[in-house]
Amino acid sequence: MVDENQEQDGGGVPLPDEQGFYGQYGGRYVPEMLVPALDELEAAYQRWKDEESFVSEVDDLLKNYSGRPTPLYFARNLSEHLGGAKIYLKQEGLGATGAHKINHCIGQAVLASRMKKKRIICETGAGQHGLATATVAARFGFPCTVYMGAEDVRRQATNVFWMRQLGATVETVEDGTRTLKDAVNAALKDWTWNVGDTYYLLGSALGPHPYPMIVRDFQSVIGREVRAQIMEAEGRLPDVLVACVGGGSNALGLWNEFLDDEAIRLVGVEAGGRSLEPGEHACRFEGGRTGVIEGYKSYFLQNDDGQVQKTHSISAGLDYAGIGPQHAYLRDIGRVEFSPASDREVIEAFQLTAGKEGIIAALESSHALAWVVKNAGSLPEDNVVVVNVSGRGDKDIFIVADAVGDEAWMKYCREYGAGRIQ
Ligand SMILES: *Cc1c(COP(=O)(O)O)cnc(C)c1O
């Protein structure tokens, strides 16, 4: 059955198709044992997503718990400084937990409660997804287990601290490279053994169907608000919508509402890292190739054996070797243009935004800002650009301090024993 409520891709085809594909990407490549769980999830989502009490519970939490709608702010100083298009910032960092991730966590937590699940599990790399999941688990009274590689537990001590304060159990994974992919495997193992009562809460618009669709839909509130806000501010639709792309949830959240408005340019910014040499960046469209990894088909940075390639980014939230399947599709059909931003450009954009607007953006979001810094000046003055500032930068204090070499801060860290990241 084709669901008419699903978003169109611009060609009139609802995506994903019944098997969960976006063109050739996506799908569901999982062990037999997990198929019933994904079927159950998909059925529950279709059952509840438009149901009145479900929608109003999600909306109420988005509004009164997380503080939506987030503002769409006209960055006058930045616009004048760059001397081109008018730049608007969608301030997702002002929501609960300081980033957009709370949107799909709220949606999935309400879904888990409707499905009468008894506990929530997730995996996390940088810890931001674990934090947002632990947050909604606390709110809903779900016991919560967060799987995290031992290396990441060490690097992300503050997030681990807050997850534990929120009542989550952080399981340190000692297998493999002790990072995200090992945490994914551990979480999947847990889910396999406990499918009956456990909700696996995914953190981006990726993984096996129906997760990319569910996460995208819950994030689409961003674009719906932007449409209303820009109509009020400018009386017309924007010309360019820019977002950083890790797994792809904040970007799809911004774009989904506008996919059919073909005149609007959609720009996705990937982590250009230190250079575009293998292992030095996380640009799936600069050196990645198609593959099936972690349950879905998409572009992945891989070595010759098809193993996931090591990645690097100054922002922990963008250093993922894969990308959500809808992004691979939108890029293939030419609907979205992707562009890298290097670590250096990101720090510069971060500092410029802080200095001109007093806004401390997350380093992930600063990738999108870096594109604007590079390109806004050459766009006509009557152009309107909306940048998704997916999160605030408080969490990045160690990395930024390191990048700018702030001696007073380093001294404080040494004296008070706070760990530097590296
Ligand atoms: C996790 C994160 C991202 C990257 O994830 P997407 O799914 O690509 O949005 C971007 N910005 C912030 C602030 C994040 O925490």
Side-chain angles (χ1 to χ4, degrees):
M1 270 273 300
V2 170
D3 183 343
E4 289 171 359
N5 291 320
Q6 282 175 11
E7 285 301 323
Q8 313 277 306
D9 74 335
V13 184
L15 288 176
D17 69 14
E18 283 171 69
Q19 269 69 50
F21 281 95
Y22 308 79
Q24 61 161 312
Y25 304 107
R28 182 186 279 181
Y29 300 87
V30 295
E32 203 64 41
M33 272 178 88
L34 288 178
V35 172
L38 293 165
D39 281 340
E40 182 199 1
L41 175 61
E42 187 180 3
Y45 181 63
Q46 297 298 350
R47 154 88 176 78
W48 292 107
K49 71 185 178 79
D50 298 319
E51 195 268 339
E52 211 181 306
S53 74
F54 179 87
V55 173
S56 68
E57 185 173 352
V58 172
D59 286 352
D60 178 71
L61 287 165
L62 289 176
K63 177 170 176 226
N64 297 308
Y65 186 71
S66 187
R68 303 202 73 88
T70 56
L72 182 68
Y73 165 70
F74 173 45
R76 185 184 302 276
N77 299 337
L78 197 57
S79 305
E80 282 173 5
H81 176 78
L82 297 171
K86 287 176 100 166
I87 300 159
Y88 282 83
L89 307 179
K90 179 62 170 165
Q91 300 221 65
E92 285 301 294
L94 298 183
T97 74
H100 70 290
K101 286 192 176 76
I102 193 73
N103 301 333
H104 60 236
C105 285
I106 286 176
Q108 289 187 81
V110 178
L111 188 58
S113 69
R114 289 295 198 279
M115 291 171 76
K116 307 221 171 350
K117 297 296 179 186
K118 297 281 177 284
R119 65 190 277 265
I120 283 183
I121 61 169
C122 74
E123 86 291 326
T124 193
Q128 291 302 113
H129 174 54
L131 184 69
T133 303
T135 299
V136 293
R139 162 62 178 74
F140 281 81
F142 286 119
C144 175
T145 303
V146 180
Y147 288 94
M148 197 167 179
E151 189 56 27
D152 291 328
V153 168
R154 187 182 67 79
R155 284 188 296 204
Q156 307 291 339
T158 30
N159 282 331
V160 173
F161 174 82
W162 289 126
M163 284 184 251
R164 290 185 170 140
Q165 289 301 307
L166 289 162
T169 304
V170 179
E171 284 286 349
T172 305
V173 181
E174 301 281 0
D175 305 327
T177 54
R178 306 160 39 167
T179 55
L180 180 60
K181 72 176 170 50
D182 311 297
V184 172
N185 290 337
L188 281 173
K189 203 182 287 174
D190 179 321
W191 204 31
T192 310
W193 288 109
N194 301 293
V195 244
D197 68 354
T198 300
Y199 187 94
Y200 185 3
L201 203 156
L202 229 82
S204 190
L206 42 71
H209 179 66
Y211 282 111
M213 169 180 78
I214 291 178
V215 169
R216 173 199 69 191
D217 291 356
F218 285 134
Q219 288 295 348
S220 297
V221 63
I222 300 173
R224 284 196 302 274
E225 288 174 6
V226 165
R227 183 181 283 269
Q229 290 167 322
I230 201 72
M231 287 309 288
E232 187 175 337
E234 291 285 333
R236 68 179 188 87
L237 294 178
D239 299 283
V240 189
L241 297 171
V242 193
C244 66
V245 186
S249 67
N250 88 88
L252 278 177
L254 176 66
W255 299 336
N256 195 44
E257 176 70 20
F258 298 96
L259 290 176
D260 288 339
D261 297 296
E262 305 254 347
I264 301 180
R265 230 177 124 185
L266 307 179
V267 178
V269 186
E270 296 183 282
R274 289 184 284 250
S275 79
L276 293 180
E277 293 297 311
E280 295 293 297
H281 68 94
C283 296
R284 287 63 48 101
F285 297 124
E286 304 271 352
R289 60 179 202 277
T290 55
V292 175
I293 296 178
E294 287 172 6
Y296 65 104
K297 184 172 180 190
S298 189
Y299 275 77
F300 294 87
L301 290 162
Q302 318 166 41
N303 63 21
D304 293 340
D305 303 330
Q307 298 293 319
V308 172
Q309 176 80 250
K310 186 172 123 351
T311 57
H312 162 80
S313 167
I314 193 162
S315 69
L318 298 186
D319 67 355
Y320 180 57
I323 188 167
Q326 192 165 4
H327 286 275
Y329 173 74
L330 291 169
R331 190 257 190 185
D332 275 12
I333 64 168
R335 180 67 190 95
V336 175
E337 49 190 290
F338 282 87
S339 159
S342 71
D343 288 353
R344 182 187 307 266
E345 291 167 334
V346 166
I347 288 291
E348 282 168 14
F350 168 89
Q351 290 180 311
L352 188 68
T353 309
K356 292 288 171 198
E357 298 291 354
I359 291 174
I360 306 273
L363 288 176
E364 290 85 359
S365 323
S366 297
H367 283 70
L369 292 163
W371 185 91
V372 169
V373 170
K374 270 187 284 184
N375 294 282
S378 55
L379 295 173
E381 277 181 19
D382 62 357
N383 262 214
V384 172
V385 177
V386 174
V387 187
N388 201 18
V389 182
S390 51
R392 61 172 176 253
D394 312 36
K395 68 182 177 59
D396 296 320
I397 187 164
F398 296 104
I399 303 172
V400 174
D402 211 14
V404 303
D406 188 310
E407 275 310 317
W409 172 256
M410 300 301 177
K411 184 161 172 284
Y412 168 83
C413 287
R414 280 192 300 273
E415 279 170 12
Y416 292 88
R420 263 179 67 188
I421 293 175
Q422 219 38 259

